[in-house]
Short mmCIF file of all heavy atoms in Angstrom, two decimals:
data_model
loop_
_atom_site.label_atom_id
_atom_site.label_comp_id
_atom_site.label_asym_id
_atom_site.label_seq_id
_atom_site.Cartn_x
_atom_site.Cartn_y
_atom_site.Cartn_z
N ASP M 1 82.54 78.87 58.20
CA ASP M 1 82.58 80.31 58.44
C ASP M 1 82.28 80.63 59.91
O ASP M 1 82.87 81.54 60.49
CB ASP M 1 81.58 81.03 57.54
CG ASP M 1 82.06 81.13 56.10
OD1 ASP M 1 83.25 80.89 55.86
OD2 ASP M 1 81.24 81.46 55.22
N PHE M 2 81.36 79.86 60.48
CA PHE M 2 81.01 80.09 61.89
C PHE M 2 82.19 79.77 62.80
O PHE M 2 82.50 80.53 63.73
CB PHE M 2 79.80 79.24 62.26
CG PHE M 2 79.24 79.53 63.62
CD1 PHE M 2 78.67 80.76 63.91
CD2 PHE M 2 79.28 78.58 64.63
CE1 PHE M 2 78.15 81.03 65.17
CE2 PHE M 2 78.77 78.84 65.89
CZ PHE M 2 78.20 80.07 66.15
N GLU M 3 82.87 78.67 62.53
CA GLU M 3 84.04 78.31 63.32
C GLU M 3 85.12 79.38 63.19
O GLU M 3 85.76 79.77 64.18
CB GLU M 3 84.58 76.95 62.86
CG GLU M 3 85.77 76.45 63.65
CD GLU M 3 85.43 76.17 65.10
OE1 GLU M 3 84.28 75.80 65.39
OE2 GLU M 3 86.33 76.33 65.95
N LYS M 4 85.32 79.86 61.96
CA LYS M 4 86.31 80.90 61.73
C LYS M 4 85.91 82.19 62.45
O LYS M 4 86.76 82.87 63.05
CB LYS M 4 86.43 81.14 60.23
CG LYS M 4 87.48 82.17 59.83
CD LYS M 4 87.50 82.33 58.31
CE LYS M 4 88.46 83.44 57.88
NZ LYS M 4 88.40 83.67 56.40
N ALA M 5 84.62 82.53 62.41
CA ALA M 5 84.15 83.76 63.06
C ALA M 5 84.29 83.66 64.58
O ALA M 5 84.64 84.64 65.24
CB ALA M 5 82.69 84.03 62.69
N MET M 6 84.06 82.47 65.14
CA MET M 6 84.22 82.31 66.59
C MET M 6 85.66 82.54 67.02
O MET M 6 85.93 83.02 68.12
CB MET M 6 83.75 80.93 67.02
CG MET M 6 82.24 80.76 67.03
SD MET M 6 81.72 79.28 67.93
CE MET M 6 82.42 77.98 66.91
N GLN M 7 86.59 82.19 66.14
CA GLN M 7 88.01 82.34 66.47
C GLN M 7 88.54 83.75 66.18
O GLN M 7 89.66 84.08 66.56
CB GLN M 7 88.84 81.32 65.67
CG GLN M 7 88.46 79.87 65.93
CD GLN M 7 88.51 79.49 67.40
OE1 GLN M 7 89.45 79.87 68.10
NE2 GLN M 7 87.51 78.76 67.86
N ALA M 8 87.73 84.56 65.52
CA ALA M 8 88.18 85.90 65.16
C ALA M 8 88.39 86.76 66.40
O ALA M 8 87.82 86.51 67.47
CB ALA M 8 87.16 86.57 64.23
N GLU M 9 89.20 87.80 66.26
CA GLU M 9 89.56 88.65 67.39
C GLU M 9 88.36 89.44 67.91
O GLU M 9 87.49 89.86 67.14
CB GLU M 9 90.64 89.64 66.98
CG GLU M 9 92.00 89.05 66.72
CD GLU M 9 93.01 90.14 66.39
OE1 GLU M 9 93.24 91.02 67.25
OE2 GLU M 9 93.53 90.13 65.26
N GLU M 10 88.37 89.65 69.22
CA GLU M 10 87.40 90.53 69.85
C GLU M 10 87.88 91.98 69.70
O GLU M 10 89.09 92.24 69.58
CB GLU M 10 87.26 90.20 71.33
CG GLU M 10 86.76 88.80 71.62
CD GLU M 10 85.28 88.65 71.33
OE1 GLU M 10 84.57 89.67 71.30
OE2 GLU M 10 84.83 87.50 71.11
N PRO M 11 86.96 92.94 69.71
CA PRO M 11 87.40 94.35 69.69
C PRO M 11 88.21 94.67 70.95
O PRO M 11 87.95 94.12 72.01
CB PRO M 11 86.08 95.14 69.67
CG PRO M 11 85.03 94.16 69.32
CD PRO M 11 85.50 92.83 69.76
N LEU M 12 89.16 95.55 70.82
CA LEU M 12 89.92 96.00 71.98
C LEU M 12 89.04 96.95 72.80
O LEU M 12 88.50 97.92 72.25
CB LEU M 12 91.19 96.72 71.53
CG LEU M 12 92.23 95.86 70.82
CD1 LEU M 12 93.36 96.75 70.28
CD2 LEU M 12 92.78 94.79 71.75
N PRO M 13 88.84 96.69 74.08
CA PRO M 13 87.99 97.57 74.90
C PRO M 13 88.39 99.04 74.81
O PRO M 13 87.53 99.92 74.87
CB PRO M 13 88.17 97.01 76.31
CG PRO M 13 88.52 95.58 76.11
CD PRO M 13 89.36 95.54 74.86
N GLY M 14 89.68 99.28 74.64
CA GLY M 14 90.15 100.66 74.58
C GLY M 14 89.67 101.43 73.37
O GLY M 14 89.79 102.66 73.32
N THR M 15 89.13 100.73 72.36
CA THR M 15 88.63 101.41 71.17
C THR M 15 87.17 101.85 71.31
O THR M 15 86.60 102.38 70.37
CB THR M 15 88.76 100.50 69.92
OG1 THR M 15 87.90 99.34 70.09
CG2 THR M 15 90.19 100.04 69.74
N VAL M 16 86.59 101.62 72.48
CA VAL M 16 85.16 101.88 72.65
C VAL M 16 84.81 103.35 72.42
O VAL M 16 83.67 103.67 72.04
CB VAL M 16 84.70 101.42 74.05
CG1 VAL M 16 85.26 102.32 75.16
CG2 VAL M 16 83.18 101.37 74.13
N THR M 17 85.76 104.25 72.62
CA THR M 17 85.47 105.68 72.43
C THR M 17 85.81 106.17 71.03
O THR M 17 85.63 107.36 70.74
CB THR M 17 86.23 106.52 73.46
OG1 THR M 17 87.64 106.26 73.34
CG2 THR M 17 85.78 106.20 74.88
N ASP M 18 86.28 105.30 70.15
CA ASP M 18 86.61 105.72 68.79
C ASP M 18 85.34 106.03 68.00
O ASP M 18 84.30 105.38 68.17
CB ASP M 18 87.38 104.61 68.05
CG ASP M 18 88.77 104.39 68.61
OD1 ASP M 18 89.19 105.17 69.48
OD2 ASP M 18 89.42 103.41 68.19
N HIS M 19 85.43 107.02 67.12
CA HIS M 19 84.40 107.32 66.12
C HIS M 19 83.11 107.91 66.70
O HIS M 19 82.06 107.85 66.05
CB HIS M 19 84.05 106.08 65.28
CG HIS M 19 85.23 105.46 64.62
ND1 HIS M 19 86.04 106.14 63.73
CD2 HIS M 19 85.75 104.20 64.72
CE1 HIS M 19 86.99 105.33 63.32
NE2 HIS M 19 86.86 104.16 63.90
N VAL M 20 83.18 108.49 67.89
CA VAL M 20 82.00 109.23 68.36
C VAL M 20 81.75 110.41 67.42
O VAL M 20 80.62 110.69 67.04
CB VAL M 20 82.21 109.72 69.80
CG1 VAL M 20 81.03 110.59 70.25
CG2 VAL M 20 82.38 108.53 70.74
N PHE M 21 82.85 111.07 67.04
CA PHE M 21 82.79 112.14 66.05
C PHE M 21 83.88 111.90 65.01
O PHE M 21 84.91 111.28 65.30
CB PHE M 21 83.04 113.50 66.69
CG PHE M 21 81.95 113.97 67.61
CD1 PHE M 21 82.14 113.98 68.99
CD2 PHE M 21 80.74 114.40 67.11
CE1 PHE M 21 81.14 114.42 69.84
CE2 PHE M 21 79.73 114.85 67.95
CZ PHE M 21 79.93 114.85 69.32
N ALA M 22 83.66 112.40 63.82
CA ALA M 22 84.72 112.46 62.81
C ALA M 22 85.59 113.67 63.11
O ALA M 22 85.07 114.71 63.58
CB ALA M 22 84.12 112.57 61.41
N PRO M 23 86.88 113.59 62.87
CA PRO M 23 87.75 114.74 63.17
C PRO M 23 87.38 115.95 62.33
O PRO M 23 87.07 115.84 61.14
CB PRO M 23 89.15 114.23 62.79
CG PRO M 23 89.03 112.74 62.73
CD PRO M 23 87.62 112.44 62.34
N THR M 24 87.40 117.10 62.96
CA THR M 24 87.14 118.34 62.22
C THR M 24 88.46 119.03 61.88
O THR M 24 89.43 118.95 62.64
CB THR M 24 86.26 119.30 63.04
OG1 THR M 24 86.07 120.51 62.29
CG2 THR M 24 86.90 119.64 64.37
N MET M 25 88.49 119.70 60.75
CA MET M 25 89.68 120.43 60.32
C MET M 25 89.71 121.84 60.91
O MET M 25 90.72 122.52 60.86
CB MET M 25 89.73 120.51 58.79
CG MET M 25 89.76 119.16 58.10
SD MET M 25 91.20 118.18 58.56
CE MET M 25 92.50 119.15 57.79
N VAL M 26 88.58 122.28 61.48
CA VAL M 26 88.51 123.64 62.02
C VAL M 26 88.95 123.61 63.48
O VAL M 26 88.19 123.21 64.38
CB VAL M 26 87.08 124.20 61.91
CG1 VAL M 26 87.02 125.61 62.51
CG2 VAL M 26 86.64 124.24 60.46
N THR M 27 90.17 124.03 63.73
CA THR M 27 90.71 124.01 65.09
C THR M 27 91.23 125.37 65.53
O THR M 27 91.52 125.56 66.71
CB THR M 27 91.86 122.99 65.19
OG1 THR M 27 92.87 123.32 64.23
CG2 THR M 27 91.35 121.57 64.93
N LYS M 28 91.36 126.32 64.60
CA LYS M 28 91.88 127.64 64.94
C LYS M 28 90.96 128.73 64.40
O LYS M 28 90.34 128.57 63.34
CB LYS M 28 93.28 127.83 64.36
CG LYS M 28 94.34 126.90 64.96
CD LYS M 28 95.71 127.19 64.35
CE LYS M 28 96.78 126.28 64.96
NZ LYS M 28 98.12 126.54 64.37
N GLU M 29 90.90 129.82 65.12
CA GLU M 29 90.15 130.98 64.65
C GLU M 29 90.90 131.61 63.48
O GLU M 29 92.10 131.89 63.58
CB GLU M 29 90.00 131.99 65.79
CG GLU M 29 89.08 133.15 65.47
CD GLU M 29 88.82 134.02 66.69
OE1 GLU M 29 89.43 133.74 67.75
OE2 GLU M 29 88.03 134.96 66.58
N THR M 30 90.23 131.78 62.38
CA THR M 30 90.86 132.34 61.18
C THR M 30 90.00 133.47 60.62
O THR M 30 88.81 133.59 60.93
CB THR M 30 91.04 131.26 60.10
OG1 THR M 30 89.77 130.68 59.79
CG2 THR M 30 91.98 130.16 60.57
N GLY M 31 90.61 134.28 59.76
CA GLY M 31 89.90 135.40 59.16
C GLY M 31 89.90 136.62 60.09
O GLY M 31 90.44 136.60 61.19
N GLU M 32 89.28 137.68 59.62
CA GLU M 32 89.23 138.94 60.36
C GLU M 32 87.90 139.06 61.10
O GLU M 32 86.84 139.13 60.48
CB GLU M 32 89.39 140.12 59.41
CG GLU M 32 90.79 140.28 58.85
CD GLU M 32 91.79 140.71 59.92
OE1 GLU M 32 91.37 141.39 60.88
OE2 GLU M 32 92.97 140.36 59.81
N ARG M 33 87.97 139.10 62.42
CA ARG M 33 86.74 139.24 63.21
C ARG M 33 86.20 140.66 63.15
O ARG M 33 84.98 140.87 63.07
CB ARG M 33 87.00 138.83 64.66
CG ARG M 33 85.76 138.89 65.55
CD ARG M 33 86.07 138.43 66.96
NE ARG M 33 84.93 138.61 67.86
CZ ARG M 33 84.01 137.69 68.12
NH1 ARG M 33 84.09 136.50 67.55
NH2 ARG M 33 83.02 137.95 68.95
N THR M 34 87.09 141.64 63.18
CA THR M 34 86.67 143.04 63.13
C THR M 34 87.45 143.77 62.04
O THR M 34 88.40 144.51 62.33
CB THR M 34 86.89 143.73 64.49
OG1 THR M 34 88.26 143.54 64.88
CG2 THR M 34 85.99 143.15 65.55
N PRO M 35 87.11 143.54 60.79
CA PRO M 35 87.86 144.15 59.69
C PRO M 35 87.76 145.67 59.72
O PRO M 35 86.73 146.24 60.12
CB PRO M 35 87.20 143.57 58.44
CG PRO M 35 85.83 143.16 58.89
CD PRO M 35 85.97 142.73 60.31
N ALA M 36 88.82 146.33 59.30
CA ALA M 36 88.84 147.80 59.25
C ALA M 36 87.72 148.29 58.33
O ALA M 36 87.54 147.79 57.23
CB ALA M 36 90.19 148.29 58.76
N GLY M 37 87.01 149.28 58.80
CA GLY M 37 85.93 149.85 57.99
C GLY M 37 84.67 149.03 58.00
O GLY M 37 83.70 149.37 57.30
N GLY M 38 84.62 147.96 58.79
CA GLY M 38 83.44 147.12 58.84
C GLY M 38 82.27 147.82 59.51
O GLY M 38 82.45 148.74 60.32
N GLU M 39 81.06 147.38 59.19
CA GLU M 39 79.86 147.96 59.76
C GLU M 39 79.22 146.99 60.74
O GLU M 39 79.32 145.77 60.59
CB GLU M 39 78.86 148.31 58.65
CG GLU M 39 79.35 149.39 57.70
CD GLU M 39 78.28 149.76 56.68
OE1 GLU M 39 77.18 149.16 56.72
OE2 GLU M 39 78.56 150.64 55.85
N LYS M 40 78.55 147.56 61.73
CA LYS M 40 77.84 146.72 62.68
C LYS M 40 76.61 146.10 62.03
O LYS M 40 75.92 146.74 61.23
CB LYS M 40 77.43 147.54 63.90
CG LYS M 40 78.56 147.83 64.87
CD LYS M 40 78.03 148.41 66.17
CE LYS M 40 79.16 148.55 67.19
NZ LYS M 40 78.65 149.03 68.50
N VAL M 41 76.36 144.83 62.38
CA VAL M 41 75.18 144.14 61.86
C VAL M 41 74.47 143.47 63.02
O VAL M 41 75.04 143.19 64.07
CB VAL M 41 75.55 143.08 60.81
CG1 VAL M 41 76.13 143.71 59.57
CG2 VAL M 41 76.50 142.03 61.38
N MET M 42 73.20 143.19 62.80
CA MET M 42 72.43 142.44 63.78
C MET M 42 72.74 140.95 63.64
O MET M 42 73.19 140.49 62.59
CB MET M 42 70.94 142.69 63.56
CG MET M 42 70.53 144.14 63.79
SD MET M 42 68.76 144.43 63.56
CE MET M 42 68.58 144.18 61.80
N MET M 43 72.44 140.20 64.68
CA MET M 43 72.71 138.76 64.66
C MET M 43 71.97 138.07 63.51
O MET M 43 72.51 137.19 62.86
CB MET M 43 72.31 138.12 65.99
CG MET M 43 73.44 138.03 66.99
SD MET M 43 72.97 137.16 68.51
CE MET M 43 72.60 135.53 67.88
N VAL M 44 70.74 138.47 63.28
CA VAL M 44 69.96 137.81 62.24
C VAL M 44 70.60 138.02 60.87
O VAL M 44 70.60 137.11 60.03
CB VAL M 44 68.49 138.29 62.27
CG1 VAL M 44 68.36 139.73 61.80
CG2 VAL M 44 67.60 137.35 61.45
N ASP M 45 71.18 139.21 60.65
CA ASP M 45 71.84 139.47 59.37
C ASP M 45 73.17 138.74 59.28
O ASP M 45 73.57 138.29 58.20
CB ASP M 45 72.05 140.98 59.20
CG ASP M 45 70.75 141.71 58.95
OD1 ASP M 45 69.83 141.09 58.38
OD2 ASP M 45 70.64 142.89 59.33
N ALA M 46 73.87 138.63 60.41
CA ALA M 46 75.12 137.88 60.40
C ALA M 46 74.88 136.42 60.01
O ALA M 46 75.65 135.81 59.27
CB ALA M 46 75.80 137.95 61.77
N ALA M 47 73.78 135.86 60.53
CA ALA M 47 73.43 134.48 60.18
C ALA M 47 73.09 134.37 58.70
O ALA M 47 73.53 133.45 58.00
CB ALA M 47 72.25 134.02 61.02
#
């Protein structure tokens, strides 16, 4: 197993930046930011 492992491939240097983050599906602003008839709220209530 050791001999086989020594012969195994090295990682490609170009992959060093892979997997820092998992891809997110949220890429676009969606929904209504200022819906008609909406009321103003404080930040604490929005949270």
Side-chain angles (χ1 to χ4, degrees):
D1 285 346
F2 188 65
E3 182 64 31
K4 183 181 175 184
M6 286 194 295
Q7 301 305 317
E9 290 183 61
E10 298 287 338
L12 294 173
T15 64
V16 70
T17 57
D18 292 353
H19 305 301
V20 176
F21 292 107
T24 178
M25 300 299 292
V26 179
T27 58
K28 295 181 179 180
E29 188 172 4
T30 57
E32 289 291 331
R33 182 178 174 93
T34 54
E39 295 184 0
K40 283 190 174 184
V41 294
M42 296 181 292
M43 267 184 63
V44 70
D45 289 331

